[in-house]
Amino acid sequence: MVKPDGVGRRLIGECIGRFERRGLKLVAMRMRIIDETTAKRHYAEHAGKDFFDSLVAFITSGPTVQMVWEGPDAVAQVRKMNGATNCLKADVGTVRGDFGLSTQNNIVHASDSPETAAREIALYFYPEELLTYTMPDEQWLR
Ligand code: CMP
């Protein structure tokens, strides 16, 4: 997901371009302003932490872009490309390392496991919105 700061800083295309060029396959995408209930469900594991209220306020503060990317080891690859949660500690060459300066306002969110991905995808997409198709270059990416 591109977060409100990523959208506000006009980095949607930058993020999508990086995942595309890496060789991942986009199978679903939508733009929305997340409501408070959905935000609290999305970040339920952080409920009670000192940054929770601020995080919910931030993630509901403007448009976000939800995407589902497929590919070999896609969860790990996307997390590597996004960089460390704290942008100041993120490696140069990652989205956060190249564009971010904060821990909360860190431009992108990515699921941390296939199980989390399934839960988060269900928050934002109906099953029929996940497209099944073949990319012409798939034979080179296996
Ligand atoms: P994300 O990868 O979306 O997962 C949880 C989010 O909470 C994280 O990115 C940050 O936006 C935010 N977050 C995590 N830790 C902190 C923190 N210590 N202070 C403020 N925000 C945080």
Side-chain angles (χ1 to χ4, degrees):
M1 171 164 69
V2 183
K3 295 182 177 184
D5 58 331
V7 175
R9 293 182 56 198
R10 299 177 169 80
L11 292 171
I12 300 170
E14 174 71 36
C15 295
I16 292 175
R18 286 178 179 226
F19 302 135
E20 270 197 305
R21 292 195 300 273
R22 175 78 167 152
L24 296 167
K25 179 165 77 173
L26 184 60
V27 300
M29 179 163 67
R30 74 150 22 122
M31 191 173 195
R32 64 153 64 173
I33 298 176
I34 300 174
D35 61 81
E36 192 177 321
T37 303
T38 304
K40 286 180 173 172
R41 287 175 65 196
H42 180 135
Y43 283 124
E45 67 180 287
H46 298 298
K49 294 183 183 168
D50 58 353
F51 61 82
F52 185 68
D53 290 348
S54 173
L55 173 60
V56 170
F58 162 60
I59 207 70
T60 59
S61 67
T64 57
V65 179
Q66 284 74 38
M67 296 167 284
V68 182
W69 291 91
E70 280 182 2
D73 211 9
V75 167
Q77 295 312 314
V78 170
R79 288 180 68 76
K80 196 183 287 185
M81 293 175 74
N82 284 351
T85 302
N86 180 347
C87 296
L88 293 176
K89 295 186 175 160
D91 290 337
V92 170
T94 64
V95 173
R96 291 165 173 164
D98 287 350
F99 303 110
L101 289 172
S102 159
T103 297
Q104 176 181 273
N105 307 341
N106 56 6
I107 304 170
V108 279
H109 166 82
S111 307
D112 62 10
S113 69
E115 294 72 29
T116 307
R119 186 180 71 77
E120 294 179 349
I121 289 168
L123 276 179
Y124 298 108
F125 296 97
Y126 295 110
E128 60 269 26
E129 291 178 303
L130 273 60
L131 306 184
T132 302
Y133 66 100
T134 304
M135 289 289 276
D137 63 0
E138 270 181 32
Q139 62 181 311
W140 307 112
L141 298 170
R142 298 284 162 190

